[in-house]
Amino acid sequence: MTIVKDIYVPSHSFSDVIEMHTYLADPLKTDGGKYVRGLGFITDNYLDELYAVKVANQQTHTTQFRQITVSISSANNAAYSDEELMEIGVDMAKHIYSKGFQVVVYLHKDTQNPHLHFLANAVNFRTGNIFRQTKKELNRLKVHCNHILNDHCLDQIQMSPEDMLDTAPHDLSDGFEAFEIFDETMMDKAVFFEDLYVRHFSRNMIVLLHLITIITSRFHYLIYQVMTQIIHSNIRQCKILKQLIRR
């Protein structure tokens, strides 16, 4: 299935936005910055424009950003190019942008399973209000994303809004592993291969049973043929014996 995690960072300093963006836009992860795209920006200078919205609304010392990780199931994302996956990510992020929040989309290619990150400004560029993530709003994001995934024949999000929201505070000084959701991705792969094995095993069992049926049927037919020949032989011998007796 596709995994979505909104990971909470209790940040009140714009330096954390810079650090988060620097990590997410790492050229080694985004193919030299090729797979970084912004929604709600006039230029590619995302950091300056993120900060400008905060200054304009006098919200420079409040919650700074929201970070959402999206891992599309490895079951079928290999059928899509990096450009197509990036477009899918941008379409997903449009839900956040439609609510009045700037968002930067990153496609990471440094793992076996390419995945997406959304970095959203916590300050609304229309109202100046702070981003408040609720389970109800996460469910709306889930529905929006599932329509897009369905259009592309990709596995949908089956997680509940409760499971999509990671409320444990994550400090950037502890590193960025939490944002890569390695455990969830590995679990998804394990489930995928388990299902694949079960389907493969079931299919093989059906084939085997079919072969057994065919072999059994042919064996029964062979027995029938042999018994028929024996019976016919006995009948012939009986006729000959009768003829000899008559003589």
Side-chain angles (χ1 to χ4, degrees), residues 57-195:
N57 291 281
Q58 299 181 353
Q59 297 279 25
T60 56
H61 298 290
T62 57
T63 302
Q64 294 295 302
F65 65 87
R66 301 295 302 199
Q67 198 286 154
I68 299 174
T69 305
V70 179
S71 177
I72 297 174
S73 176
S74 57
N76 45 22
N77 72 11
Y80 288 85
S81 67
D82 296 332
E83 289 77 10
E84 289 171 326
L85 288 175
M86 187 67 188
E87 287 301 325
I88 290 171
V90 170
D91 286 343
M92 289 179 170
K94 285 178 180 178
H95 176 79
I96 301 172
Y97 173 61
S98 70
K99 302 296 181 180
F101 297 96
Q102 297 162 298
V103 56
V104 186
V105 181
Y106 313 80
L107 174 65
H108 279 190
K109 293 168 42 59
D110 59 326
T111 63
Q112 291 182 344
N113 187 45
H115 55 280
L116 298 153
H117 293 271
F118 303 154
L119 180 64
N121 194 347
V123 180
N124 192 297
F125 61 77
R126 293 178 187 145
T127 65
N129 293 333
I130 299 300
F131 194 115
R132 306 292 182 192
Q133 189 63 283
T134 64
K135 294 174 184 177
K136 186 175 182 179
E137 184 54 41
L138 266 178
N139 193 60
R140 290 195 183 102
L141 175 63
K142 173 183 174 179
V143 171
H144 171 81
C145 291
N146 276 346
H147 279 290
I148 295 168
L149 292 167
N150 183 66
D151 290 343
H152 291 276
C153 299
L154 290 165
D155 285 354
Q156 297 182 28
I157 305 162
Q158 299 176 15
M159 304 167 68
S160 66
E162 290 83 0
D163 291 334
M164 292 168 63
L165 185 60
D166 184 352
T167 57
H170 294 277
D171 196 315
L172 296 185
S173 62
D174 295 331
F176 299 93
E177 285 192 4
F179 301 97
E180 299 296 347
I181 58 174
F182 290 122
D183 292 343
E184 292 85 349
T185 303
M186 290 302 295
M187 181 63 71
D188 176 61
K189 285 188 176 182
V191 171
F192 166 68
F193 284 116
E194 181 181 359
D195 290 344

